[in-house]
Amino acid sequence: MRRFEGLILEGSLRPGDRLPPERELAGSLAVSRPVLRDALAQLEAEGLIVARKGDGTFVGPVAGTLFSDAIARLIRRSPRGLTDFLEFRKGIETFSAALAAERASEADRLSLMELRDKMLAAHEAGDSDHEAALDVELHALVQEAAHNTLMLHLVRGCHQLLTDDVFENRRQLYRRQGARERLLGEHLAIIEAILAGDPKAASAASAAHIDHVAEETRRLADADERAETARRRRTLRSQTDG
């Protein structure tokens, strides 16, 4: 039970992950099948795993969500809400990047290097949707490499809001010439600083990325507002002249 609880807490086992068959699991844990069944029954009673007859045993919906659907919708629709969410991201992500640079294991580094290669390939292919998905994956890997279980589950709790924010920010920023190249460069800078084990550089690279996104989205929103004001004025003048 403690081994399973530890794997779930540290994020190695994620909600929805399917556990190996009972025989294989008992062998890997070096316990008898009756002992394993007893442990699984207790884990299920605590809501940590879910057994589906004929389908298998899965990690339960333990992550939850940080925001209710109603609040998440309000945040998405509110310019202030989105600005505040970027501030929240900056605080969490700069700290996490610094911790990742200090604590990343060899497995974490390999995952980041593999992601770096995927990012370069997606950029070369011009696949903007894949780039955005890899952007979200980078934030997840940095949280895992920081090895702080509370922050890991906190960020996973707002995963959907983060995903929506990343995709929407990219949709806006792509209106700027050279935006894809700049975003790639910012993400690679975060990865390289973590791989180099440089906490200050990792934190600075993460902060620079969030600051750029916040500033550019603000400028684009201001430009859109000015354009809409000009359109309304022109429409009203034409109606008055008519």
Side-chain angles (χ1 to χ4, degrees):
M1 277 187 66
R2 295 294 172 262
R3 289 183 65 178
F4 276 115
E5 289 171 348
L7 290 171
I8 292 171
L9 182 62
E10 72 185 21
S12 295
L13 285 176
R14 302 184 179 199
D17 281 354
R18 183 174 183 172
L19 300 184
E22 185 180 283
R23 183 186 300 275
E24 180 182 335
L25 199 53
S28 65
L29 294 171
V31 297
S32 67
R33 294 175 72 176
V35 168
L36 175 63
R37 290 190 195 111
D38 185 46
L40 293 177
Q42 293 183 60
L43 290 168
E44 185 172 16
E46 293 182 6
L48 293 173
I49 63 172
V50 177
R52 300 172 189 163
K53 191 171 182 178
D55 197 15
T57 303
F58 302 81
V59 177
V62 295
T65 56
L66 187 61
F67 304 103
S68 69
D69 290 341
I71 290 296
R73 284 194 297 271
L74 291 179
I75 292 172
R76 293 187 191 99
R77 291 201 294 257
S78 165
R80 171 64 185 272
L82 292 175
T83 298
D84 287 351
F85 187 57
L86 279 172
E87 282 188 356
F88 168 78
R89 283 185 55 190
K90 183 177 179 180
I92 292 291
E93 292 178 19
T94 54
F95 184 46
S96 297
L99 288 180
E102 293 178 352
R103 300 175 176 178
S105 68
E106 185 59 29
D108 294 323
R109 295 176 192 277
L110 288 173
S111 294
L112 286 168
M113 287 187 282
E114 290 170 357
L115 182 65
R116 177 186 59 192
D117 293 342
K118 291 178 184 177
M119 283 182 157
L120 289 168
H123 184 78
E124 183 67 24
D127 190 340
S128 57
D129 284 345
H130 193 201
E131 284 185 291
L134 293 172
D135 185 343
V136 175
E137 186 177 345
L138 171 61
H139 295 297
L141 287 181
V142 172
Q143 290 300 327
E144 291 177 5
H147 292 279
N148 181 299
T149 55
L150 186 59
M151 287 200 304
L152 176 65
H153 289 285
L154 175 68
V155 172
R156 285 185 178 176
C158 56
H159 173 77
Q160 190 56 54
L161 197 57
L162 172 62
T163 300
D164 293 344
D165 190 52
V166 166
F167 274 80
E168 176 59 21
N169 288 337
R170 280 182 173 268
R171 186 182 70 81
Q172 293 292 336
L173 293 177
Y174 283 170
R175 294 158 57 188
R176 294 285 196 189
Q177 186 75 21
R180 290 181 62 240
E181 289 72 20
R182 179 164 180 176
L183 287 172
L184 175 65
E186 289 170 353
H187 288 129
L188 293 180
I190 295 170
I191 292 173
E192 295 303 332
I194 293 173
L195 294 177
D198 189 334
K200 289 184 178 179
S203 179
S206 183
H209 168 57
I210 297 295
D211 286 343
H212 164 233
V213 172
E215 179 63 19
E216 284 300 305
T217 52
R218 183 191 64 78
R219 287 179 180 175
L220 288 165
D222 288 346
D224 288 344
E225 184 178 352
R226 291 192 294 270
E228 179 60 22
T229 299
R231 186 196 64 78
R232 285 197 303 267
R233 287 172 179 163
R234 181 175 175 80
T235 300
L236 288 171
R237 279 198 299 268
S238 66
Q239 291 172 348
T240 302
D241 293 343

